[in-house]
Amino acid sequence: MNAILSNGHTDSSDGSHSQAEDRVDIVGGPWAIIESDPGIFTTVMQKLGIRRCEAAEVYSIEPDGLSHLNQIHGLIFCSQVQAESQLNMHDLAGDTSNSEDIDFNEIWFANQLIHNACATQAILNVIFNCPQLDIGTKLRHFKDFTRNMGPKMKGLALSNDLGIRDIHNSMARPADLQDALHGLAKRTALTEAEKKRAAERAKRKNKPTTKKKKKADEDEDEDDDSEGDTVYHYVGYVPFKGKVWELDGLRIGPLEVGEIPSTMQGSGDYSREWLEVVRPAIRMKIESLQGSGHDIRFNLLAVVEGGWEKRSDEFELLRRERRALERRLDGSDPTWKEKIADSTPYPTVEAIFSARADPGAFDPSFGLRSTERQKRVLQLPEDQLIPEWIRCYRDAQSVTMFLHEEQEKAQTWATENSKRTHDFEQFFRAFAEALHEEGHLLPVLGLSDPTGVEANASSSLKD
C-alpha cells in the first residue's frame, strides 16, 4: 500500500517494481496514453524512484517566463501529430544526426519503438543525462544494464520493462487503457491484412501510373492515416558534456542543438546558462508548428528541482542556525528572551520551528551550507546576535508559507490523479440500473416508454 508523505505525495517504495519483476509477460502488454500534465509527470518520476525532482509547466520560453522556476535540469516539448503514421523514424526529413559520430556510452538515448510510451521515454531520456540527480536503485540498474546498448536496443529494453510500463499505465485514464488494449488486439488481428495492403501499395508505387490512379492511391493512404486519432509526441532537451542536445526518440540519434560557451560550463552544473542555447531551437519549433496551417497544440514542461525538498532544506538550515544563535545568546546575555518578548514572543517562534518538514533526503551540498552558516554565527559580534535571530525567525515564517503552498499543490495533484485514474464505469452502470428500476431513466433521457417496461418495473417495486 502506498503511503502519503508529509508533502502530500505518494510513496510507492518500489513495490510495483518487485511485483512486475515476478510476472512473466509473454505477449507484451500495451502502453496507454498519458496527459502532458505537471502533476502526472511528477508522480511518474516519484514512482520511478527519482528524488528531489518535479515537473513544472512553462508558459513562455523567454527569460521572464522561467525566472520563477527552481534549477532547470531539462525541458520536455509536447506537440500534436496529425496522424499516427507520422510517428515513424523515416518520416523525419533533414535529420542531421549521425549515430556513428556519437558515443552512446556517454549520452543515454533510446529510440521510440512504442508510440504511447513517448511521455515516459522523454522523461528517462532527460533524467538519465542528468548525473546530478538521484534516480534511485531501480533506474540506476536499468541504466547500467542498457549502457552499452544502441538506441534501438535501449528503446526495446524500455518498451519491455514491466515495472516502468506499469508505472506509466497507472497514470492513464481507464478509457485510455481500454483503447490501448483494443488497439493492441486490432493490430494483432489485422497484421496479415495490413501486410498485404502495404505490399499492394508498394507494387503500385513502383509501377508507372496515370495521374488519376496516383490520386486514388494518395487518397487511400490519407484514409489509412485518418483512421487513427490525433496523437502527441514528446521531445527532450538537456545539457550534457558542454553541449545542449535534442533527444527525439524518432531520430536516429541525439541532435546537437549548440555548444555551451566555455565561460558558462564551470563545474558541469550549467544552471540557466544552457537555456540561452536551447531557446532559439524551441522558438523555431513553435514557429514551424504555428505556420503549418493546422490547429497544432503544444506545451512545454520543465524538469526542475523539487520545490518541497528545496524549501525543506532551507527550513532545516534555519532551524540549525537558530539553535547556534540561541547558544551564543544564552552564553552572552541570559535575559535576551525578555528583551524580545514585546516584539517577538518566544512561544510563537517555538511554534514556527516545531513544524516538521521532511525532504526525504537532503541535498548533497546541505552539509557544507550548514557548516558555513554555523561558522558565520560564531563570527558575529554580540550586538548583532538578536537582530540575526529575528531575521532567522522571519525567514522561517516565509519558508513555512512556501512549504504550505507546496503541500497544497501536491494534495491537489493527488486529488486530480485519483479522479483521473478512477474507473467510474461501475458507478454509472449501477446508477443507470437504479434509474431504470425506478422508472426514471427514459424520462431523464427525454425518451418515451411505449412498451411500459419502466412503468411496470416501478409499480412492482412499490407493491
Side-chain angles (χ1 to χ4, degrees):
M1 181 178 295
N2 295 344
I4 302 295
L5 301 179
S6 57
N7 60 351
H9 297 308
T10 57
D11 181 18
S12 58
S13 64
D14 289 340
S16 59
H17 290 305
S18 60
Q19 294 176 5
E21 291 172 353
D22 294 337
R23 301 201 320 266
V24 177
D25 191 356
I26 299 177
V27 178
W31 291 68
I33 297 174
I34 63 174
E35 300 175 39
S36 179
D37 178 81
I40 293 178
F41 274 56
T42 300
T43 305
V44 168
M45 288 190 288
Q46 290 173 345
K47 288 186 175 183
L48 288 172
I50 304 169
R51 298 181 177 179
R52 303 184 63 86
C53 201
E54 68 180 29
E57 191 158 10
V58 178
Y59 299 100
S60 173
I61 192 62
E62 302 305 323
D64 293 342
L66 301 171
S67 59
H68 67 287
L69 298 176
N70 298 329
Q71 181 182 0
I72 302 176
H73 303 296
L75 296 172
I76 298 177
F77 184 82
C78 172
S79 61
Q80 183 178 347
V81 179
Q82 290 298 311
E84 188 171 333
S85 62
Q86 296 181 18
L87 293 178
N88 295 308
M89 294 179 62
H90 59 78
D91 286 334
L92 288 175
D95 190 350
T96 58
S97 58
N98 188 346
S99 59
E100 296 180 357
D101 296 337
I102 299 171
D103 187 358
F104 289 110
N105 294 328
E106 289 291 329
I107 183 169
W108 198 95
F109 174 77
N111 284 138
Q112 179 181 323
L113 304 182
I114 303 294
H115 297 164
N116 292 344
C118 57
T120 297
Q121 181 160 341
I123 292 175
L124 296 182
N125 271 340
V126 169
I127 293 297
F128 281 161
N129 293 296
C130 298
Q132 70 274 19
L133 295 179
D134 182 1
I135 60 176
T137 304
K138 168 66 180 179
L139 290 185
R140 192 177 300 110
H141 289 167
F142 179 81
K143 182 180 179 181
D144 293 339
F145 174 71
T146 58
R147 185 180 302 277
N148 297 321
M149 296 182 181
K152 291 185 179 179
M153 288 302 298
K154 287 177 180 176
L156 184 63
L158 173 59
S159 302
N160 289 278
D161 190 290
L162 302 184
I164 296 177
R165 189 185 70 197
D166 288 348
I167 290 174
H168 173 97
N169 288 341
S170 69
M171 301 309 300
R173 297 179 185 272
D176 292 332
L177 283 172
Q178 293 297 325
D179 288 344
L181 288 169
H182 174 72
L184 179 63
K186 183 178 179 181
R187 286 192 297 271
T188 303
L190 299 179
T191 298
E192 294 301 325
E194 289 295 325
K195 287 181 179 179
K196 291 180 180 179
R197 292 178 60 187
E200 292 176 358
R201 289 197 299 269
K203 289 180 180 179
R204 291 198 299 266
K205 290 180 179 179
N206 293 331
K207 294 181 180 180
T209 57
T210 63
K211 291 184 178 180
K212 184 176 181 181
K213 181 64 175 176
K214 184 177 181 181
K215 181 67 168 58
D217 293 340
E218 291 176 352
D219 293 341
E220 182 181 351
D221 293 340
E222 290 179 359
D223 292 339
D224 293 337
D225 289 343
S226 63
E227 292 178 359
D229 295 331
T230 300
V231 292
Y232 292 86
H233 179 55
Y234 297 82
V235 179
Y237 295 89
V238 66
F240 186 80
K241 297 290 184 179
K243 298 179 180 179
V244 178
W245 299 89
E246 177 182 295
L247 305 177
D248 186 345
L250 299 182
R251 293 189 180 275
I252 298 174
L255 179 65
E256 181 182 338
V257 176
E259 187 171 355
I260 302 174
S262 57
T263 56
M264 298 180 180
Q265 294 185 19
S267 62
D269 179 11
Y270 309 110
S271 186
R272 296 179 181 272
E273 289 82 0
W274 71 277
L275 297 174
E276 300 298 328
V277 181
V278 76
R279 185 174 289 113
I282 296 180
R283 190 184 295 120
M284 185 182 304
K285 185 178 289 289
I286 293 175
E287 291 175 354
S288 65
L289 291 174
Q290 292 175 338
S292 62
H294 300 285
D295 181 19
I296 301 297
R297 301 177 182 178
F298 57 87
N299 78 328
L300 184 65
L301 296 178
V303 180
V304 301
E305 180 185 7
W308 170 267
E309 292 82 358
K310 178 182 179 180
R311 301 300 181 182
S312 298
D313 285 358
E314 183 62 27
F315 186 80
E316 182 61 28
L317 287 172
L318 290 171
R319 186 179 355 225
R320 299 186 182 190
E321 184 180 4
R322 171 223 174 191
R323 292 173 183 170
L325 287 167
E326 290 185 356
R327 284 194 296 268
R328 283 207 59 190
L329 285 169
D330 290 338
S332 60
D333 186 3
T335 63
W336 68 274
K337 293 180 182 180
E338 300 176 1
K339 296 179 180 179
I340 64 166
D342 295 336
S343 59
T344 310
Y346 191 78
T348 304
V349 179
E350 281 287 335
I352 290 292
F353 281 101
S354 62
R356 183 175 181 268
D358 184 11
F362 292 118
D363 184 80
S365 63
F366 179 85
L368 177 61
R369 293 160 61 193
S370 178
T371 301
E372 291 177 348
R373 293 200 181 192
Q374 300 281 336
K375 182 179 179 181
R376 176 177 172 275
V377 170
L378 294 175
Q379 295 174 348
L380 285 174
E382 292 187 358
D383 59 343
Q384 294 184 14
L385 291 177
I386 290 181
E388 280 295 312
W389 184 89
I390 295 176
R391 190 270 312 162
C392 183
Y393 161 66
R394 291 175 178 173
D395 288 349
Q397 283 183 308
S398 177
V399 172
T400 302
M401 292 178 58
F402 284 119
L403 285 171
H404 285 313
E405 292 177 359
E406 291 293 332
Q407 190 169 19
E408 290 176 358
K409 180 179 69 175
Q411 291 174 346
T412 300
W413 283 349
T415 302
E416 293 177 351
N417 291 339
S418 178
K419 293 178 180 179
R420 180 183 293 108
T421 58
H422 183 73
D423 189 358
F424 290 93
E425 181 180 354
Q426 295 181 356
F427 165 75
F428 287 116
R429 186 190 300 273
F431 185 65
E433 291 176 352
L435 286 176
H436 174 69
E437 292 175 357
E438 293 290 338
H440 301 309
L441 180 59
L442 293 180
V444 168
L445 297 177
L447 302 175
S448 59
D449 185 14
T451 60
V453 174
E454 286 200 347
N456 294 334
S458 178
S459 60
S460 63
L461 287 174
K462 292 179 180 179
D463 294 340

